[in-house]
Amino acid sequence: MPLAARLGLFYAAVFIFPGVHLPFFPVWLGAQALTPAQISIVLSGAMLLRILAGPALAFLADRAENRRGMMLALAAVSFCAAALYFLADGFLPIFLISLVLMTRYPSIIPMTESLAMRAVREEGMDYGRVRLWGSVSFIVASYAMGWWLLPGRENHILAAMLFGIALTFSIGFLLPAEGRKDSAAPPLSWANALKVLRHPVFLGFVLAAGLTQSSHAFLYAFGSLNWQRLGLSETLIGFLWALGVVAEISLFMASAWLARVFGPVGLVVLAAGAGVLRWLITAQEPGLAILCFAQALHGLSFGAAHLGAMHFIARAVAPELAATAQSLYAAVSGGIMMAGFMALSGPLYEAAQSTGFYVMAGVALMGAGAALITWRRWQGGLLVEAA
């Protein structure tokens, strides 16, 4: 089976879990009588710990030259941790389980991305047309969960999460055993990783993409609960999440063309602008038709930023450092920044409810400014050569 097909299958498996967890895990937390502030702590706490765990796990996988083995181990530990939710009672046990689960399972995705971008460089694979199967899986999982979930049946959320993790583990055996094809290539080192991390252009890009992605934190944490408050059914909530990912899939279908036309940093500028518009609309609690339009902007606000980040790392970082750069980007953007805004989301939702999205519009606007500055400073080449 071609590598592109195997990666497409794995993307489909690995995104079932976030397709359930992202929109519906806060609903399960709410059913356990956690307050909005406690929910934001559960969701953000693991992100902070992942700042260290993600790069460390990726570094160990690269040193062992066996990403697949690490990814399978992470999936196995994640399954055991998620199963413990059935026994958890109260904030503290749920928080501790989440620390284990959400520092393990999300670390699988940057390793998958590094495998995919290696195939882009070495085999000319169209990244977007492979990555879109993760988005297809997300949309199916989120919509199916909305259809399956009934009041009082919140444990269905946990069952679906376990199914996704188990499928990830099973299909993971199809991935190549060796992440590094050139055995003579020097192993990645923290010294070289820090050279990338300290580079002003890399820092500027991470700030731009991180702010743009972190502007989604309020939606991720309280979007479903807020829509429940406004009277939307679970099925309709699942549809709204799925609609955003349909737009994301459409963007990935045209990813090669978009990357050529806008370039990596230009894609982040586009994403940040779409984010500003999206959160300004959502804050006003619009009717269903306009809310659907706002959700469709997810294709740009998330999809364009993600696509820009992947192509930036592929073009700006030497192949020998790409895996470390992926994990560092994920740790800073999806760890420090996302966790900070996720922690802010609890008090913000308690105080402002839907109008909290105006704050997220401001965050996206700052992302646009940082992206424009980075666009002027980067010439399109490598930032740091491998040692």
Side-chain angles (χ1 to χ4, degrees):
M1 183 185 297
L3 178 58
R6 287 181 280 159
L7 282 168
L9 283 172
F10 190 76
Y11 271 120
V14 81
F15 274 91
I16 291 174
F17 175 88
V20 175
H21 183 275
L22 184 59
F24 292 105
F25 188 61
V27 175
W28 183 82
L29 293 174
Q32 309 312 303
L34 270 64
T35 67
Q38 289 174 327
I39 291 174
S40 66
I41 291 171
V42 169
L43 296 177
S44 63
M47 290 183 181
L48 293 173
L49 187 57
R50 200 162 73 224
I51 295 165
L52 298 175
L57 291 168
F59 179 76
L60 290 174
D62 285 330
R63 294 286 295 184
E65 299 185 349
N66 188 2
R67 286 193 197 93
R68 188 185 73 172
M70 178 64 76
M71 292 158 77
L72 291 172
L74 291 172
V77 173
S78 298
F79 184 89
C80 295
L84 292 176
Y85 279 130
F86 285 103
L87 305 176
D89 182 18
F91 166 72
L92 184 59
I94 291 172
F95 176 70
L96 294 176
I97 293 169
S98 297
L99 286 183
V100 176
L101 174 61
M102 298 310 292
T103 54
R104 300 305 188 273
Y105 193 85
S107 298
I108 297 173
I109 296 178
M111 298 183 195
T112 310
E113 301 284 24
S114 63
L115 285 174
M117 294 313 294
R118 180 181 292 270
V120 170
R121 289 190 301 268
E122 297 180 356
E123 302 182 13
M125 186 185 79
D126 187 330
Y127 169 78
R129 291 179 180 269
V130 173
R131 172 60 176 76
L132 67 83
W133 292 108
S135 300
V136 170
S137 177
F138 185 102
I139 185 177
V140 171
S142 61
Y143 189 76
M145 191 72 252
W147 174 80
W148 190 32
L149 183 61
L150 297 172
R153 304 279 182 88
E154 284 81 7
N155 276 349
H156 286 177
I157 298 169
L158 303 183
M161 287 162 49
L162 284 170
F163 170 76
I165 298 171
L167 194 62
T168 298
F169 179 81
S170 300
I171 296 181
F173 286 97
L174 295 177
L175 296 177
E178 295 299 315
R180 188 188 301 277
K181 294 184 178 180
D182 182 3
S183 60
L188 300 180
S189 68
W190 286 116
N192 283 338
L194 289 174
K195 290 180 183 177
V196 175
L197 183 61
R198 289 196 299 260
H199 197 286
V201 172
F202 186 84
L203 289 173
F205 182 86
V206 168
L207 179 64
L211 286 169
T212 303
Q213 297 288 29
S214 296
S215 73
H216 294 73
F218 192 66
L219 178 75
Y220 292 165
F222 293 101
S224 294
L225 290 174
N226 190 52
W227 289 333
Q228 279 186 329
R229 180 184 64 83
L230 295 175
L232 276 65
S233 68
E234 283 79 5
T235 301
L236 188 53
I237 290 171
F239 169 77
L240 287 171
W241 283 99
L243 177 62
V245 186
V246 168
E248 180 185 316
I249 293 167
S250 300
L251 180 132
F252 284 142
M253 288 290 292
S255 62
W257 178 81
L258 287 168
R260 286 196 304 270
V261 172
F262 290 95
V265 185
L267 283 168
V268 177
V269 175
L270 182 64
V276 172
L277 177 60
R278 183 183 183 185
W279 309 134
L280 288 176
I281 292 172
T282 307
Q284 300 176 56
E285 298 183 355
L288 183 59
I290 298 176
L291 182 58
C292 287
F293 168 74
Q295 280 299 100
L297 287 173
H298 184 78
L300 292 174
S301 67
F302 169 81
H306 178 79
L307 185 64
M310 295 303 101
H311 281 277
F312 175 81
I313 291 172
R315 298 184 192 182
V317 180
E320 294 84 356
L321 303 174
T324 299
Q326 288 278 359
S327 62
L328 287 171
Y329 165 75
V332 175
S333 177
I336 297 174
M337 303 182 74
M338 183 66 78
F341 287 108
M342 194 76 76
L344 172 67
S345 295
L348 184 61
Y349 182 71
E350 285 187 308
Q353 295 182 325
S354 294
T355 54
F357 283 106
Y358 285 123
V359 176
M360 297 299 106
V363 173
L365 185 62
M366 289 189 292
L372 288 170
I373 294 171
T374 304
W375 205 353
R376 294 183 60 184
R377 299 184 66 181
W378 182 46
Q379 303 303 312
L382 291 178
L383 301 179
V384 176
E385 297 284 351

